[in-house]
Amino acid sequence: MANESTSSTLSELYTEIVAEALFVASERSIMRPLVRNYAVTGGGKSVEVPIYAAVSAAAVNEATDLSNTAINPSSVTITASENGIMTTLTDLARNSAPRNVAADIGRLFGEAIAKKIDTDLTALFDGFSTAVGAADAALSSALVFQAIANVRNAGVSMDGVSTVIHPMVAYDLKANLTNTFANANGNDISNEALRNGFVGRLGGVPIYETTNIANTGTGGDYKQGVFHRDALALAMMQDLKIETQRDASLRADEIVATAVYGVGELNDTYGVEVHSDSSIQ
């Protein structure tokens, strides 16, 4: 069997004194609480979300019947699928190591599943019909304000609107806010960006940075998003589950991490793609 965790591959753990383990950086999930979450229950592997169109009231004259307004919602179906990762940990590898190797692997696998959920959700930014920016343009505060204006034009409240960008692109936004890191603007946002490198809120919208946004194929080119919570959805059928299975003949345990979920776009007008190119990548 390939890709096993054996005493050879884990040889670094067999020294007499082992320092606290250093895990390769893995971005923790930020997208999950920013989108609409549903549970897939009651049988089946899909959830159907009704989408009600906005209706308008009108002035009426006294003693005049109101005209009938038909209510006919559309719907979006999100289908869950399995995502997982597995390794085989031999008895010799586990018993020879002074650390709890199985727990370490469990942590790595948990972070891998969280990253997969994030990258699946951020990939939906490319599906928004409205887009600002370009593949060869750096991100500016003006572009963020333009995206926010488009989302607000859909009639959503500011509560629940978020901006998610890549850190390499965030550099250009911070440089733009601070006039290339010289405090010429002298406002609260530029001062905060200079002191802590954190934009915080822009136009009343929190700005999140994550590396869980895939490059579009050329250096520094990313498709990010400004969106309301109801623009995107995560349908969870089975949250992260880590299991082990004994393989007696191999003298090893299979460690398996799985999650069953689906992602989808609920309302296209509630989100705007922000396309930009990092000037430093």
Side-chain angles (χ1 to χ4, degrees), residues 34 52-53 66 85 87 106 108 115 121 133 135 155 185 197 203 210 233 260:
L34 302 182
Y52 287 89
L66 290 168
I85 183 172
T87 193
L108 286 174
K115 181 174 182 177
L121 285 168
N185 297 326
T210 179
V260 185

Side-chain angles (χ1 to χ4, degrees), residues 10-280:
L10 297 174
S11 59
E12 291 81 4
L13 296 176
Y14 304 145
T15 56
E16 195 167 306
I17 299 176
V18 178
E20 180 63 26
L22 176 64
F23 291 85
V24 174
S26 179
E27 186 90 15
R28 294 186 180 274
S29 174
I30 67 163
M31 286 294 296
R32 191 167 178 175
L34 302 182
V35 303
R36 184 65 61 184
N37 283 251
Y38 296 97
V40 182
T41 59
K45 60 179 182 179
S46 299
V47 59
E48 185 175 6
V49 182
I51 308 294
Y52 287 89
V55 295
S56 300
V60 294
N61 295 321
E62 185 179 0
T64 301
D65 270 346
L66 290 168
S67 60
N68 189 59
T69 299
I71 304 297
N72 184 22
S74 59
S75 67
V76 172
T77 299
I78 301 175
T79 302
S81 61
E82 290 184 298
N83 295 267
I85 183 172
M86 183 192 90
T87 193
T88 301
L89 178 63
T90 66
D91 290 351
L92 183 59
R94 183 182 61 246
N95 296 334
S96 302
R99 287 185 57 84
N100 187 342
V101 182
D104 286 354
I105 292 173
R107 173 183 165 179
L108 286 174
F109 282 7
E111 291 178 350
I113 293 292
K115 181 174 182 177
K116 181 66 166 63
I117 293 173
D118 250 27
T119 53
D120 286 348
L121 285 168
T122 58
L124 297 176
F125 295 156
D126 192 26
F128 290 141
S129 297
T130 304
V132 299
D136 58 352
L139 182 62
S140 66
S141 55
L143 282 176
V144 175
F145 278 114
Q146 184 181 347
I148 293 171
N150 276 278
V151 172
R152 286 286 288 117
N153 191 51
V156 300
S157 66
M158 293 301 292
D159 183 33
V161 178
S162 302
T163 299
V164 176
I165 59 179
H166 195 277
M168 299 301 283
V169 171
Y171 164 86
D172 293 310
L173 178 60
K174 295 167 187 175
N176 172 254
L177 285 169
T178 60
N179 195 17
T180 316
F181 303 109
N183 195 13
N185 297 326
N187 56 59
D188 290 341
I189 295 177
S190 64
N191 288 335
E192 186 67 17
L194 280 169
R195 282 193 298 264
N196 302 319
F198 176 61
V199 176
R201 288 179 177 268
L202 191 59
V205 175
I207 296 180
Y208 299 91
E209 298 180 34
T210 179
T211 57
N212 293 338
I213 300 176
N215 193 287
T216 60
T218 59
D221 189 6
Y222 297 96
K223 293 184 177 181
Q224 302 133 124
V226 175
F227 57 96
H228 187 270
R229 185 184 310 277
D230 292 339
L232 306 174
L234 170 67
M236 186 65 67
M237 183 175 180
Q238 173 212 296
D239 211 334
L240 172 66
K241 180 171 66 174
I242 297 179
E243 297 180 291
T244 62
Q245 178 172 295
R246 183 66 182 166
D247 187 334
S249 63
L250 189 61
R251 293 135 3 253
D253 291 298
E254 293 178 351
I255 302 176
V256 179
T258 57
V260 185
Y261 64 89
V263 300
E265 180 184 288
L266 295 179
N267 195 319
D268 183 68
T269 62
Y270 286 6
V272 174
E273 173 196 307
V274 180
H275 196 180
S276 53
D277 182 65
S278 170
S279 65
I280 59 173

